Amino acid sequence: MEVLGRERRRHWADAEKLEILAAVGLNGETLARVARCYDVSRSQIYNWRGQFKKRGLLPAPVGPTFVPVDIGAPMLNAEPA
C-alpha cells in the first residue's frame, strides 16, 4: 500500500511545542496563522496549551492581566455612616 501525501502523525518534543505556543501573540500573530506556519491544527495548539497549563509549564503571560470584578448592586436608601 502506498501512502499519498504527507504523513499526518508526528511527534513533537516539548521544546518544539513550547516554541509554537510562544509564537502565538508574538508580534500580533494569531493562533490560526501560527498553526498554518507550523502546519498543525488549531485544536492541537489548544490541546498543548491545556496540557502545559496542567503541568505548570506555561510561561507567565507578558503584559497586563485583566481580572473580572463584581462591585455588586448599589445600595438604595442607605444612611450615611
Side-chain angles (χ1 to χ4, degrees), residues 8-77:
R8 296 306 301 170
R9 222 171 249 282
R10 292 173 285 178
H11 175 75
W12 297 88
D14 282 351
E16 293 171 313
K17 293 176 187 177
L18 286 170
E19 176 187 331
I20 293 170
L21 290 173
V24 176
L26 190 65
N27 297 324
E29 285 298 323
T30 64
L31 188 135
R33 282 197 298 210
V34 170
R36 279 192 302 271
C37 178
Y38 286 93
D39 196 27
V40 296
S41 69
R42 292 176 301 175
S43 63
Q44 185 64 65
I45 294 176
Y46 284 119
N47 286 337
W48 289 342
R49 185 184 289 168
Q51 290 170 358
F52 282 110
K53 274 185 183 178
K54 285 180 185 175
R55 293 166 46 191
L57 297 176
L58 268 186
V62 178
T65 302
F66 295 95
V67 180
V69 176
D70 183 9
I71 57 171
M75 293 176 26
L76 300 175
N77 299 326

